[in-house]
Amino acid sequence: MLTGAENSGMLLIGCVVVLMGRSAFFSGTETALMAVNRYRLRHLVKRGNRGARKASKMLDRPDRLLGVILVGNNLVNFSAATLATVIGIHYFGDLGLLMAPWVMTLLFLIFSEVAPKTFAAENSELWSLKAVFVLDPLSKVLRPVVIMINWFRNTLVKPFMNKDSEEDHDQLSKEELI
């Protein structure tokens, strides 16, 4: 039978694993939505695919889409790092405080960044069309935060933007069209 301290330690570890799964979702979703074939997506929209409609609508505002993904990912990453630090201190004392960031960085790189992004890049349509059903309601909840962050970002970045690149962004060359 587990003691109260052992039980709480296992609960915290379980929470970190769940948060890492959420981080994998956000990381993979970012990659999938940025890699999805827009022409294929338009075709699926015309055929009435609900996921494609949601994805297409979200991709119309990439600033908001990325804002939701990044806010969500940062929330789960920092929460997991905080819990990992508590776990490290619980089991290893002061040494755990030093170990937690290193262990979490390694675990996050493998399980919450590289693996999900690799899978999402290879399966961007499948991932995108499913992930939007989670992102859509989340984007409604986080909308005020995302708008505020985008306003700050625009205020900071706008003086450094190249105005010519904005106009040419959606233009296709003859070779790209073919």
Side-chain angles (χ1 to χ4, degrees), residues 19-120:
L19 289 168
M20 287 179 63
R22 301 286 188 266
S23 179
F25 167 78
F26 285 116
S27 295
T29 299
E30 178 183 4
T31 298
L33 283 165
M34 295 302 116
V36 72
N37 183 317
R38 302 297 200 280
Y39 297 107
R40 172 105 175 107
L41 196 61
R42 281 190 208 135
H43 173 71
L44 292 171
V45 168
K46 287 178 184 173
R47 290 182 56 199
N49 184 296
R50 283 182 54 223
R53 267 196 317 252
K54 285 184 181 291
S56 183
K57 186 178 177 185
M58 293 182 104
L59 285 165
D60 286 343
R61 291 295 310 261
D63 57 331
R64 288 193 181 161
L65 172 63
L66 289 173
V68 169
I69 291 170
L70 293 174
V71 167
N73 208 12
N74 277 284
L75 277 171
V76 297
N77 287 352
F78 285 114
S79 297
T82 301
L83 291 179
T85 302
V86 171
I87 293 166
I89 292 169
H90 175 76
Y91 286 108
F92 303 104
D94 289 344
L95 180 61
L97 185 63
L98 297 173
M99 289 173 42
W102 291 94
V103 171
M104 289 308 293
T105 297
L106 180 64
L107 291 174
F108 264 85
L109 280 173
I110 295 168
F111 297 109
S112 297
E113 292 293 333
V114 176
K117 285 183 178 196
T118 302
F119 181 82

Side-chain angles (χ1 to χ4, degrees), residues 135-150:
L135 280 185
D136 187 45
L138 192 57
S139 69
K140 289 175 176 73
V141 171
L142 293 176
R143 186 178 179 130
V145 175
V146 170
I147 288 171
M148 182 184 66
I149 290 170
N150 285 343

Side-chain angles (χ1 to χ4, degrees), residues 1-14 90-91:
M1 184 159 210
L2 296 175
T3 67
E6 291 168 337
N7 215 6
S8 66
M10 294 305 287
L11 179 64
L12 290 175
I13 291 170
H90 175 76
Y91 286 108

